[in-house]
């Protein structure tokens, strides 16, 4: 199982980053939407701490993912793919990267403006971005965190829809190679 991506498919590390971050973001969204509805109970406090810890983990993984991805080239697009689709895919992927970076950063920013604690899984403290309470920027940071999240949801509908369309309508390798990696050499000469 090659670690690096090749002309015909994604390497193991890209796939590991893609699917682990995808699963963490789905869990994170569920925890986030659920925790804000809870009454002020110890459970709410625990859920907030968990949300922040998972969120900071996602931020670290996204930074590593981007660093690794910059050292690699993308596998070739399916033969005959129209130019507008290549551009649309590139633009969507770029926007996804921007959002999965900006959402945890905005959460960290909001948490800092609220002067709330930030302890990674009960292990160690992470610093504040604002150095204390900031009542002016606090509601803006929260609005940003929420708005970016809904942008991500909308973009994911397009992203997942495109992946399924490639797989079931185009019957090409786009989804398969993100799940299983580079194609094996087939017999028959094509
Ligand atoms: C990819 C990462 C993240 C995702 C997808 C995410 C998603 C969400 C969602 C969906 C909500 C509920 C919004 C609402 O309906 O009011 C939320 C709230 C919140 N998030 Fe995040 N979040 C992420 C990262 C973070 C990080 C890193 C922090 C802090 C270090 C954070 C801090 C918060 C806080 C404090 C709230 C509660 C806001 C309130 O009091 O209403 N989030 N997040
Ligand atoms: C939170 C969830 C997800 C996020 C943030 C996300 C993000 C991304 C990003 C940024 C890329 C571009 C990779 C690169 O060029 O470096 C990508 C590729 C891809 N994603 Fe996702 N993804 C998510 C969920 C999914 C799901 C659920 C599916 C399948 C149903 C999927 C299928 C794919 C496929 C097939 C590619 C490769 C596209 C290609 O080869 O050009 N993704 N994803």
């Amino acid at each position: 199982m090659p670690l690096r991506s090749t002309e015909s498919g994604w390497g193991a590390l890209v796939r590991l980053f893609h699917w682990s971050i995808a699963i963490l973001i789905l869990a994170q969204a569920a925890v986030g939407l659920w925790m804000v509805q809870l009454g002020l109970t110890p459970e709410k406090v625990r859920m907030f701490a968990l949300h922040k810890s998972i969120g900071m983990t996602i931020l670290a993984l996204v930074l590593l993912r981007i660093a690794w991805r910059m050292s690699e080239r993308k596998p070739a697009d399916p033969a005959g793919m129209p130019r507008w689709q290549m551009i649309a895919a590139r633009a969507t992927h770029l926007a996804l990267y921007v959002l999965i970076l900006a959402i945890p950063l905005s959460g960290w920013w909001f948490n800092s403006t609220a002067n709330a604690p930030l302890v990674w899984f009960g292990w160690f403290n992470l610093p504040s971005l604002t150095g204390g309470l900031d009542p002016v920027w606090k509601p803006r940071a929260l609005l940003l965190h929420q708005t970016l999240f809904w942008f991500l949801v909308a973009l994911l509908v397009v992203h997942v829809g495109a992946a399924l369309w490639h797989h079931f309508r185009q019957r090409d390798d786009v989804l398969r190679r993100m799940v299983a990696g580079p194609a094996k050499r087939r017999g028959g000469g094509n």
Side-chain angles (χ1 to χ4, degrees):
M1 194 195 287
L3 202 62
R4 297 194 74 87
S5 301
T6 66
E7 185 68 8
S8 65
W10 297 104
L13 213 53
V14 166
R15 286 179 288 126
L16 184 66
F17 277 131
H18 179 272
W19 294 112
S20 56
I21 290 172
I23 290 167
L24 283 175
I25 286 182
L26 293 184
Q28 177 72 344
V31 172
L33 293 171
W34 184 55
M35 71 184 192
V36 291
Q37 322 231 10
L38 294 173
L40 196 56
T41 56
E43 172 154 43
K44 181 171 186 135
V45 177
R46 273 201 304 277
M47 287 299 124
F48 264 60
L50 179 67
H51 181 80
K52 294 187 237 174
S53 297
I54 299 175
M56 295 306 283
T57 309
I58 294 173
L59 177 60
L61 286 174
V62 171
L63 289 171
L64 289 173
R65 175 179 178 179
I66 291 173
W68 175 260
R69 177 66 172 81
M70 283 167 74
S71 76
E72 288 209 317
R73 35 188 307 228
K74 187 187 175 306
D77 289 312
M81 187 169 164
R83 203 174 138 68
W84 72 265
Q85 277 179 25
M86 292 181 189
I87 296 171
R90 297 279 197 293
T92 310
H93 293 158
L94 184 67
L96 284 170
Y97 276 124
V98 170
L99 286 172
I100 60 179
L101 256 187
I103 293 172
L105 282 174
S106 63
W108 189 1
W109 182 35
F110 168 67
N111 196 65
S112 307
T113 60
N115 204 20
L118 183 54
V119 189
W120 193 75
F121 291 109
W123 252 25
F124 52 85
N125 288 302
L126 289 159
S128 160
L129 293 176
T130 55
L133 190 70
D134 189 337
V136 175
W137 285 99
K138 186 179 155 201
R140 296 173 190 168
L142 176 57
L143 185 63
L144 185 68
H145 192 56
Q146 292 165 330
T147 311
L148 291 176
F149 170 72
W150 288 110
F151 269 116
L152 177 66
V153 172
L155 215 57
L156 281 176
V157 171
V158 175
H159 181 64
V160 173
L164 297 178
W165 177 78
H166 274 285
H167 192 69
F168 292 108
R169 294 299 298 265
Q170 299 298 100
R171 296 174 186 276
D172 60 27
D173 264 358
V174 167
L175 178 57
R176 203 201 53 77
R177 72 187 187 183
M178 186 46 107
V179 176
K184 306 250 176 347
R185 272 188 97 76
R186 293 184 198 95
N190 61 342

